[in-house]
Amino acid sequence: MLLKAALATALALAAGAAHAETDLKIFLSSQHRPEVWRKALDQYEAKNPGTKVTIETGGNTSELQAQYLNTVMSAKDSSLDVMILDIIRPAQYAAAGWTADFAGKDMSAYLPTYAEANTVSGKVVALPAFADAMFLYYRKDLLDKYKIAPPKTWDELVKAAETITKGENDPELQGLSFQGKAIEGAVCTFLLPYWSQGKTLVSNGKLSFDKEAAVKSLALWKGFVDKGIAKKNIAEVATDDTRKEFQAGKVLFAVNWSYAWNHFQGAESSVGGKVGVARLPAMPNGEQASCLGGWEFGVSAYSTHQDDARKLVEYLSSPDVSRFMAVNAGLLPTYGATYSDPEVLKAAPWFAEAKAVVETARPRPVTPRYNEVSEVIRTTVNSVLAGATTPEDGAAQMENRLRRILR
Ligand code: GLC
């Protein structure tokens, strides 16, 4: 009897070993094409029998995802093996001890900005998933119809929007859509015109706030609402709202990230083939500045499959997958060379110019207290756009609050 039981256990163990499976769970942003990442993961599973990867998504904005991940990681929860992180987070996650390192990883093939963003105190703490920057999307068909060139300054944009919306006489057509909701994207909303005036916000960890430039930035955005170029409830508009409204043909100019372009070409879009992409306009006598974005793959320090998770991340961050995501999801490559890949350029011809924008885009302040910095900026932008605070008061409050954080 005993022997029989022992035999049965041995057989069961042997069967288990033959089907030994590593189950990995990866957290992805729901906004950044999980269904296309799934295809890349299917290929990985096919090449690595015994490994199964499940996707978990959550949060339609960067800070909602961060909230979720903060809860998981604070609880030292081991259920996530890999997590996609907004470029503003690797430094914070590494400082909290939430990421496992990629010891000895050579980062030289990546665009330098991304090699840098993922290296914290000399350690590689995450690997790039895709690059990103903010762009000005415009209705090429309408600009052509009115023989207007893509605006290089915000003043030109105002003129173009006024002419075209008047000419079209369509109450549904917004001149400009941008992010006014108190989300992470609104930090860039503030910084774009601020940077365009040649100013920096933080240098060497210290606040270098230029109040006049801040007032001008806030007043620029509020001015769009007051002039009727942006819609009245712009304070409720998040990134994907801008994307959806432009895609539905209701927006002439839109400030948005790179992921939007591929959506605009999709079957559900009313603007396929009618969209142009340009650098964001400049302030008077200013430079055309963009905000650097991008996402990274980190391995959770609490994962019980760290080696398998690292192997998976190496694959997801490889040139092959970068090319696959560029072609199939329109996500910008993290390798310089992939921008000139013929297959990529065929799928997304505008990537030829996008590389220079990514390379010159400016990073949001890097500080361990970034969450608080972000909160101050995005709530102020939102409050000014909602008409609750004037640009002058908003800039003054921002300065006081930022000074307390970045003392
Ligand atoms: C994009 C960017 C990311 C940014 C976010 C804000 O996803 O890639 O860096 O923080 O938008 O909404």
Side-chain angles (χ1 to χ4, degrees):
M1 200 55 202
L2 254 182
L3 194 70
K4 217 172 151 192
L7 201 68
T9 318
L11 282 173
L13 280 176
H19 294 102
E21 280 232 328
T22 311
D23 286 316
L24 297 176
K25 199 189 251 181
I26 178 167
F27 180 85
L28 293 175
S29 144
S30 55
Q31 200 172 88
H32 294 125
R33 312 304 294 270
E35 79 287 4
V36 188
W37 287 110
R38 180 67 260 171
K39 289 186 188 157
L41 291 170
D42 289 345
Q43 289 176 20
Y44 185 78
E45 287 179 349
K47 277 187 244 149
N48 294 273
T51 301
K52 219 173 139 278
V53 190
T54 316
I55 296 179
E56 182 173 327
T57 57
N60 201 27
T61 56
S62 175
E63 61 305 314
L64 282 179
Q65 285 161 32
Q67 241 172 47
Y68 170 72
L69 289 178
N70 282 354
T71 315
V72 173
M73 299 312 282
S74 302
K76 302 191 171 28
D77 188 326
S78 62
S79 62
L80 289 179
D81 299 290
V82 175
M83 46 200 173
I84 201 163
L85 299 172
D86 192 342
I87 192 167
I88 49 189
R89 314 220 187 269
Q92 178 213 338
Y93 275 54
W98 289 346
T99 47
D101 299 344
F102 289 80
K105 172 73 184 168
D106 176 3
M107 300 291 280
S108 59
Y110 293 108
L111 289 172
T113 323
Y114 294 101
E116 224 171 82
N118 289 296
T119 310
V120 180
S121 310
K123 287 187 176 154
V124 177
V125 302
L127 299 187
F130 61 92
D132 209 355
M134 276 185 138
F135 296 88
L136 180 74
Y137 290 92
Y138 60 91
R139 284 285 299 278
K140 199 174 166 334
D141 57 329
L142 290 176
L143 264 67
D144 286 351
K145 179 172 166 191
Y146 291 84
K147 300 193 171 37
I148 295 175
K152 289 203 159 63
T153 64
W154 290 110
D155 289 341
E156 285 172 17
L157 182 138
V158 168
K159 276 192 213 120
E162 281 172 351
T163 308
I164 298 175
T165 49
K166 196 167 157 229
E168 291 298 295
N169 195 23
D170 171 2
E172 291 255 289
L173 184 68
Q174 301 164 46
L176 172 69
S177 181
F178 60 92
Q179 291 79 60
K181 196 166 174 168
I183 57 163
E184 178 56 37
V187 174
C188 292
T189 300
F190 169 74
L191 287 168
L192 293 168
Y194 180 86
W195 282 331
S196 173
Q197 297 167 79
K199 307 299 175 190
T200 48
L201 191 70
V202 177
S203 45
N204 301 325
K206 289 259 172 291
L207 187 69
S208 50
F209 195 81
D210 188 296
K211 189 149 161 235
E212 204 188 317
V215 172
K216 283 191 184 150
S217 166
L218 295 168
L220 174 85
W221 297 114
K222 182 62 169 46
F224 292 132
V225 185
D226 295 342
K227 291 187 186 91
I229 288 171
K231 65 177 187 178
K232 282 206 171 57
N233 68 341
I234 197 81
E236 289 163 28
V237 171
T239 316
D240 219 32
D241 301 319
T242 297
R243 192 267 297 172
K244 286 184 190 139
E245 289 173 16
F246 188 94
Q247 188 173 317
K250 294 184 181 153
V251 175
L252 175 62
F253 293 110
V255 179
N256 214 324
W257 301 90
S258 59
Y259 84 105
W261 189 83
N262 187 271
H263 284 278
F264 297 156
Q265 313 308 320
E268 282 157 35
S269 172
S270 343
V271 295
K274 300 178 183 166
V275 183
V277 196
R279 279 180 186 263
L280 284 157
M283 294 292 271
N285 307 315
E287 56 200 70
Q288 290 181 271
S290 183
C291 192
L292 183 73
W295 292 74
E296 331 300 320
F297 285 120
V299 168
S300 162
Y302 307 118
S303 160
T304 50
H305 309 285
Q306 296 202 357
D307 287 340
D308 293 303
R310 259 190 286 265
K311 188 175 159 203
L312 173 65
V313 169
E314 291 271 5
Y315 162 77
L316 291 174
S317 181
S318 67
D320 278 353
V321 175
S322 190
R323 183 190 317 108
F324 180 81
M325 294 308 292
V327 171
N328 296 289
L331 299 181
L332 288 170
T334 52
Y335 294 93
T338 313
Y339 284 80
S340 36
D341 184 295
E343 203 195 336
V344 169
L345 286 174
K346 194 170 159 239
W350 71 281
F351 278 16
E353 284 94 54
K355 184 175 175 223
V357 177
V358 171
E359 283 174 327
T360 54
R362 298 182 58 168
R364 282 157 277 176
V366 179
T367 142
R369 299 186 67 177
Y370 181 74
N371 277 347
E372 293 157 88
V373 170
S374 162
E375 232 257 330
V376 167
I377 299 177
R378 55 193 154 92
T379 52
T380 308
V381 168
N382 178 259
S383 170
V384 168
L385 289 170
T389 312
T390 62
E392 288 73 17
D393 289 349
Q397 288 162 15
M398 213 189 252
E399 178 165 22
N400 289 338
R401 293 172 68 196
L402 288 176
R403 244 185 235 302
R404 263 178 266 139
I405 299 168
L406 296 167
R407 256 198 302 240

